[in-house]
């Protein structure tokens, strides 16, 4: 079974994490996001995958290569300029001659793709859209279906009194290749505003596959942090790398954890990291590879990328710190802060709630 994964977007809402790193490469539990996604596809028998790239393609191509390390066949197609979600699929049309999946490259889910394919075939659908429920449909585009699942309307950000459903597009589709003929070649064209409304207008069968399985997109730093917390707290099924040192504590090889450090799970610590004396790590939290956490530092609910160094007595709370950051002694980084890569924060600094710092080498 084939799939196209869309990984060409700039990920502007996830900045500053996506200045130097494409959204699909941001680490989730110390592995690139896309690696988790490919593993999930493989579980459902999807092992022939086309990546459509545009923004920062090199790190993705270098890391994944031909996919053989993950046991899949990967091909990469780089767009010269962004073609939009549907335009990107049109661009690889010649590789798609049977029913295929399309995924936004920023969704983390355990929707049952095998059952979705069955649903698609039974209904004789031209395009099936995975639908997921949300608490507040008024800030999303919702998808209205009839009792059999056939899509009736797409309603963009309905006002509270016009809400008829809380089902939104989950960014996973099953597509019959013939519908690609409706997408203009070489132009920016999307599924949401372009192809789907066109198919409804033509009266072609478009179905919504409703699922209440776990689903989140990592479009914003808040959701990026939430995904980590959900995975660590066991809200979604996932195995962790490393040795289990205690209740909810996984540590990869080569780490040096001082006997006076205190770890309270769920925590994942990447390989070759050093945790100093009296440092206190309170989960849910992730420490990347090659990190140093100085004496007496306190981390709670934070995600720290690789090669980052914290001095003595640093406090991190429910924040994200990207790679190669140096945080001086006694710094305090409050909730919701997002620190881009390669920064140096001098000793004693206090970053208030929600501070976002751009990476050192950004424009
Ligand atoms: P924002 O800038 O924060 O809106 O993020 P984004 O650029 O990723 O856009 P969005 O979240 O709407 O995109 C959904 C998915 O489609 C993501 O996985 C994107 O990488 C991908 N995508 C968006 N636009 C393009 C494009 O022009 N080409 C390709 N190949 N993929 C795209």
């Amino acid at each position: 079974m084939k799939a196209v994964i869309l990984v060409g977007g700039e990920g502007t809402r996830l900045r500053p994490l996506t200045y130097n790193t494409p959204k699909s490469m941001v680490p989730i539990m110390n592995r690139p996001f896309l690696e988790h996604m490919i593993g999930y596809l493989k579980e459902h028998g999807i092992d022939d995958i086309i990546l459509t790239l545009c923004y920062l393609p090199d790190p993705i191509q270098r890391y994944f290569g031909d996919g053989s390390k993950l046991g899949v066949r990967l091909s990469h197609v780089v767009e010269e300029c962004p073609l939009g979600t549907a335009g990107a699929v049109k661009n690889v049309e010649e590789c798609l001659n049977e029913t295929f999946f399309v995924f936004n490259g920023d969704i983390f889910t355990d929707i049952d793709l095998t059952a979705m394919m069955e649903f698609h075939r039974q209904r004789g659908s031209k395009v099936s859209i995975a639908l997921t429920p949300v608490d507040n449909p008024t800030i999303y585009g919702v998808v209205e279906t009839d009792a059999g699942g056939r899509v009736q309307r797409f309603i963009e950000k309905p006002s509270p009194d016009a809400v008829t459903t809380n089902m939104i597009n989950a960014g996973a589709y099953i597509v019959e290749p013939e519908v690609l003929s409706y997408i203009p070649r070489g132009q920016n064209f999307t599924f949401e505003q372009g192809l789907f409304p066109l198919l409804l207008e033509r009266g072609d069968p478009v179905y919504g596959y409703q699922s209440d399985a776990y689903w989140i997109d990592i479009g914003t730093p808040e959701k990026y942090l939430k995904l980590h917390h959900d995975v660590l707290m066991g809200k979604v099924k996932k195995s962790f790398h490393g040795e289990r040192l205690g209740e909810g504590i996984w540590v990869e090889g080569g780490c040096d954890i001082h006997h006076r450090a205190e770890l309270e799970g769920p925590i994942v610590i990447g390989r070759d990291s050093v945790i100093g004396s009296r440092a206190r790590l309170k989960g849910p939290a992730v420490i990347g590879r090659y990190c140093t956490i100085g004496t007496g530092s306190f981390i709670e609910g934070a995600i720290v990328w690789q090669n980052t160094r914290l001095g003595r007595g640093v406090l991190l709370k429910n924040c994200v710190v990207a790679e190669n950051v140096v945080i001086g002694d006694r710094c305090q980084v409050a909730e919701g802060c997002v620190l881009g890569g390669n920064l140096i924060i001098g000793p004693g600094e206090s970053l208030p709630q929600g501070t976002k710092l751009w990476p050192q080498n950004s424009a």
Side-chain angles (χ1 to χ4, degrees):
M1 182 64 68
K2 269 193 187 179
V4 179
I5 310 182
L6 304 162
V7 289
E10 279 192 54
T12 52
R13 290 165 300 142
L14 193 54
R15 286 178 186 165
L17 300 176
T18 42
Y19 257 114
N20 299 323
T21 307
K23 187 157 55 171
S24 54
M25 291 300 287
V26 301
I28 304 295
M29 316 296 291
N30 293 332
R31 299 276 179 291
F33 180 82
L34 190 55
E35 189 170 328
H36 295 276
M37 194 165 184
I38 290 173
Y40 159 66
L41 267 51
K42 216 181 134 202
E43 279 172 20
H44 286 278
I46 302 170
D47 57 2
D48 192 350
I49 298 168
I50 304 170
L51 299 180
T52 65
L53 309 117
C54 189
Y55 175 71
L56 298 179
D58 297 350
I60 304 174
Q61 293 184 297
R62 259 200 317 272
Y63 186 89
F64 289 101
D66 63 3
S68 48
K69 271 190 238 143
L70 298 178
V72 296
R73 221 181 77 169
L74 266 191
S75 40
H76 310 242
V77 178
V78 182
E79 293 151 36
E80 277 174 25
C81 56
L83 292 173
T85 47
V89 178
K90 177 74 175 180
N91 194 41
V92 294
E93 185 176 22
E94 52 292 343
C95 312
L96 301 167
N97 43 25
E98 49 193 61
T99 313
F100 60 95
F101 281 92
V102 177
F103 297 94
N104 283 354
D106 60 355
I107 60 165
F108 195 104
T109 182
D110 50 20
I111 290 174
D112 185 344
L113 299 175
T114 312
M116 181 174 169
M117 180 56 89
E118 233 172 85
F119 169 93
H120 175 84
R121 294 206 197 284
Q122 274 170 2
R123 303 292 193 285
S125 182
K126 289 279 183 255
V127 173
S128 297
I129 305 169
L131 304 179
T132 187
V134 289
D135 290 337
N136 178 10
T138 60
I139 54 170
Y140 294 95
V142 298
V143 184
E144 208 176 82
T145 57
D146 67 13
R150 189 162 174 157
V151 174
Q152 304 296 304
R153 284 198 297 168
F154 295 96
I155 313 162
E156 203 47 44
K157 300 195 177 97
S159 59
D161 52 335
V163 170
T164 51
T165 172
N166 66 342
M167 286 289 166
I168 64 160
N169 175 349
Y173 318 119
I174 299 175
V175 180
E176 292 302 321
E178 69 235 45
V179 306
L180 298 178
S181 63
Y182 306 135
I183 304 173
R185 187 173 286 282
Q187 284 178 36
N188 193 298
F189 200 76
T190 67
F191 282 108
E192 302 82 349
Q193 272 89 43
L195 184 68
F196 296 157
L198 190 76
L199 291 174
L200 283 199
E201 216 176 276
R202 290 177 43 86
D204 284 336
V206 177
Y207 280 83
Y209 174 75
Q210 299 194 1
S211 168
D212 56 7
Y214 183 86
W215 179 90
I216 196 169
D217 72 76
I218 55 154
T220 63
E222 295 71 28
K223 289 195 271 183
Y224 173 76
L225 200 58
K226 181 172 186 326
L227 169 58
H228 272 101
H229 290 183
D230 286 353
V231 171
L232 287 161
M233 301 300 281
K235 286 194 188 163
V236 51
K237 206 174 73 209
K238 196 89 207 136
S239 56
F240 303 137
H241 288 264
E243 191 188 340
R244 192 165 173 276
L245 283 196
E247 185 59 38
I249 298 167
W250 288 269
V251 178
E252 286 187 355
C255 288
D256 180 0
I257 298 174
H258 196 281
H259 66 276
R260 292 186 64 197
E262 273 179 58
L263 308 185
E264 192 182 321
I267 293 178
V268 170
I269 302 177
R271 72 165 181 262
D272 295 326
S273 285
V274 178
I275 314 293
S277 169
R278 287 180 287 108
R280 203 169 146 226
L281 274 54
K282 191 164 186 284
V286 177
I287 307 297
R289 297 164 183 164
Y290 320 115
C291 287
T292 304
I293 309 299
T295 301
S297 287
F298 177 54
I299 294 180
E300 180 178 5
I303 308 303
V304 178
W305 293 14
Q306 63 180 357
N307 210 29
T308 277
R309 278 186 290 144
L310 270 55
R312 302 161 78 92
V314 171
L315 183 100
L316 300 186
K317 194 145 191 230
N318 287 324
C319 59
V320 185
V321 180
E323 78 279 310
N324 309 321
V325 175
V326 177
I327 302 185
D329 294 346
R330 301 176 314 283
C331 280
Q332 303 207 349
V333 183
E335 290 212 13
C337 287
V338 188
L339 276 52
N342 309 316
L343 290 169
I344 299 177
I345 315 286
E349 293 274 352
S350 186
L351 302 180
Q353 196 170 337
T355 304
K356 288 185 182 170
L357 295 182
W358 271 202
Q360 191 63 39
N361 53 349
S362 63

